[in-house]
Amino acid sequence: MKIALTIAGSDSGGGAGIQADLKTFHQFGVFGTSAIVALTAQNTRGVRAVEAVSHRMVEAQLDALAADLPPDALKTGMLADARLVALVAAAIRSNGWSPLVVDPVMVATSGDRLLSTGAEQVLRAELLPLAAVVTPNLDEAEILTGRAVRDVPAMERAGTDLLRLGAGAALVKGGHLDGPALTDVLVSPQGVRHFRRPRLDTRSTHGTGCTLSAAITAGLALRRDLETAVGDALDYVARAMAAAPGLGGGYGPLNHTVPAHPPS
């Protein structure tokens, strides 16, 4: 069985972060391991508190996995502050772990800040060059590239900028685009690929980015090529949103129990 590792924060509401990642890994048939770098007190309405795990404990978690359960693929999510970003990047380099999916979690669906502004430059300089693929939404793409990203051509340009910053590929997510259809843009050295789908009329969007990046990670752990892993992941997220259980009074969680692939 392949191993997929998530290095991210914990979501007490169960819809995002480590919890969403491990549920997604399970659905794709890979064994999930985790290094928790931050605790959050949150629900579907918002984030009430964030507390970083000690750097020594984060390092111990990563060392323990390196010694016994090295990943076949891994992802990073919420990394909270600059020192944690640098620590995680150093561990990934020293252990030679790849392929890496970087989900540059900066702001929660509710609008709450999850990454300090000081950490943005460290993520850009130290983590992006290690990434097989980075998966920003429009706001995150704007922060990382310093350009406005509000339409598909701008998404393509932002993806190219992210490759220049060292990422192996960039999936710029179009969930915040206006209109009845959504377009996600994958930019890689092989070219540009658009993934289009109808917009779902739902508030069950909590954890979509975490779930998507985890599904891509699982696909890469299973040795699927990047384009296939991305397509499978987008399909899984769309079906998980469509089957959402309607929990909570805010932005509800997805239904992670849908199969990784639709019934034939």
Side-chain angles (χ1 to χ4, degrees), residues 45-46 175:
R45 297 181 186 272

Side-chain angles (χ1 to χ4, degrees), residues 17-44:
I18 293 284
Q19 287 84 346
D21 294 341
L22 293 177
K23 292 172 188 177
T24 301
F25 290 162
H26 177 80
Q27 290 305 100
F28 276 78
V30 300
F31 184 81
T33 60
S34 63
I36 300 175
V37 304
L39 305 177
T40 70
Q42 65 175 296
N43 53 31
T44 66

Side-chain angles (χ1 to χ4, degrees), residues 144-228:
L144 289 171
T145 65
R147 70 159 74 237
V149 185
R150 290 293 129 186
D151 56 30
V152 172
M155 292 165 71
E156 294 181 358
R157 292 191 292 270
T160 300
D161 288 347
L162 291 167
L163 266 62
R164 292 195 186 106
L165 289 170
L171 177 67
V172 183
K173 300 176 294 190
H176 295 166
L177 292 172
D178 294 327
L182 301 179
T183 300
D184 299 296
V185 177
L186 177 64
V187 181
S188 73
Q190 287 70 48
V192 177
R193 166 79 188 274
H194 291 178
F195 295 87
R196 295 185 178 89
R197 66 187 186 281
R199 181 188 297 277
L200 292 173
D201 183 15
T202 178
R203 284 177 59 85
S204 297
T205 57
H206 182 59
T208 49
C210 302
T211 301
L212 177 64
S213 57
I216 295 171
T217 303
L220 295 178
L222 293 167
R223 297 296 181 260
R224 296 172 186 165
D225 65 84
L226 178 60
E227 194 167 312
T228 299

Side-chain angles (χ1 to χ4, degrees), residues 13 44 204 244-254:
T44 66
S204 297
L247 301 177
Y251 294 98
L254 314 186

